[in-house]
Amino acid sequence: MPHSPFTDRHPLIDQLHHFIAKPLFPCVGAKSALAKGQIKAVVARSIASAWNDLAIHAALMRFAGGYARDRKLFQSLAVIFEGPRTLDERVFEKNMWSRLQSMSDKDKWLGQPYDQAVSPDPANPHFSLSFAGHAFFVVGLHPRASRKARRFVAPTMIFNLHDQFERLRAQGRYEKLRDAILDRDEDYSGTLNPMLSRHGEHSEARQYSGRAVGDDWRCPFSHAA
């Protein structure tokens, strides 16, 4: 990984930008972030390895700090892994949560508070991850994702700040944006995404990897008090 926590120059970053810029790509929030030049990115070696976890966590800390100083809407941090690119949905999900657990453990070790606006319990309907005291929603992408909108050439985690969603709700813009994304995703993939729900209805942990999971699914993440 480069010494700087953010980079603008890597073929995978260019590919991610191209992926989001496709006319039919459904997430209009990501499109807005791209148009505004507000998708930051880091490129790591392997989602199956802890090799870059410290640097990724440092990037999350820096990203959260930057947002605290300038709360522009539609900012995202993309963590793109060079591989492996052959993981099926279950193995991708397992490795994604291993990386998130590792980074959460580092956050706790550094004494960072958990965002009090959300729950650290992945079974709680108000669960979100927290880094540097800020709640995050994560979107996983990888080559073998069943949902077309999640099918990117390399394993990737997109980190979005929850505060942005709450501000959009306060402005009366969230529901319209959500409906637009759902409609576009159904057109893009051919079916409605069965995993989408509103924050506070079901734990959002079920949505992160993009894999359709049943009621018996248990999130492998834990954050001890």
Side-chain angles (χ1 to χ4, degrees):
M1 181 176 288
H3 293 297
S4 170
F6 298 144
T7 180
D8 296 321
R9 297 182 177 275
H10 193 285
L12 283 172
I13 296 174
D14 293 338
Q15 287 178 274
L16 180 65
H17 290 177
H18 178 72
F19 177 73
I20 294 170
K22 290 179 181 178
L24 296 180
F25 182 75
C27 185
V28 291
K31 284 182 172 295
S32 181
L34 179 63
K36 295 174 184 292
Q38 293 178 174
I39 298 180
K40 303 296 185 182
V42 294
V43 178
R45 291 190 181 185
S46 170
I47 197 171
S49 167
W51 184 273
N52 292 125
D53 285 358
L54 278 171
I56 295 169
H57 181 262
L60 277 164
M61 295 274 288
R62 189 148 173 172
F63 179 71
Y67 178 77
R69 292 188 296 272
D70 185 359
R71 295 170 68 234
K72 292 178 181 176
L73 288 171
F74 303 110
Q75 299 186 52
S76 296
L77 173 64
V79 179
I80 310 171
F81 297 88
E82 293 176 333
R85 304 190 186 187
T86 57
L87 305 179
D88 65 25
E89 287 194 302
R90 289 182 181 273
V91 180
F92 169 80
E93 181 181 64
K94 175 184 176 182
N95 284 285
M96 180 198 73
W97 281 107
S98 291
R99 302 279 64 72
L100 293 173
Q101 182 71 64
S102 173
M103 288 181 279
S104 179
D105 291 346
K106 289 167 177 54
D107 204 70
K108 183 181 177 184
W109 183 79
L110 289 170
Q112 294 297 317
Y114 213 93
D115 191 329
Q116 293 186 354
V118 297
S119 170
D121 178 3
N124 189 299
H126 297 282
F127 166 78
S128 288
L129 290 168
S130 177
F131 300 103
H134 294 265
F136 282 88
F137 180 92
V138 178
V139 176
L141 313 173
H142 64 105
R144 297 182 66 185
S146 56
R147 299 294 299 180
K148 187 177 177 181
R150 300 282 193 122
R151 206 175 297 150
F152 180 57
V153 296
T156 299
M157 294 188 291
I158 309 290
F159 291 82
N160 296 300
L161 286 144
H162 251 284
D163 182 67
Q164 298 184 116
F165 303 150
E166 297 306 317
R167 290 172 60 204
L168 287 167
R169 285 190 179 93
Q171 295 172 12
R173 299 167 59 189
Y174 178 80
E175 290 299 329
K176 183 177 180 180
L177 180 70
R178 183 178 185 274
D179 288 345
I181 293 171
L182 287 174
D183 290 344
R184 287 172 60 89
D185 185 59
E186 186 174 8
D187 290 341
Y188 192 58
S189 297
T191 58
L192 187 66
N193 189 338
M195 298 310 300
L196 293 185
S197 60
R198 289 176 174 82
H199 185 70
E201 292 180 350
H202 301 284
S203 172
E204 66 182 40
R206 296 164 58 85
Q207 302 179 41
Y208 286 2
S209 76
R211 183 174 75 89
V213 299
D215 292 339
D216 60 344
W217 182 80
R218 295 293 179 269
C219 180
F221 175 83
S222 65
H223 181 87

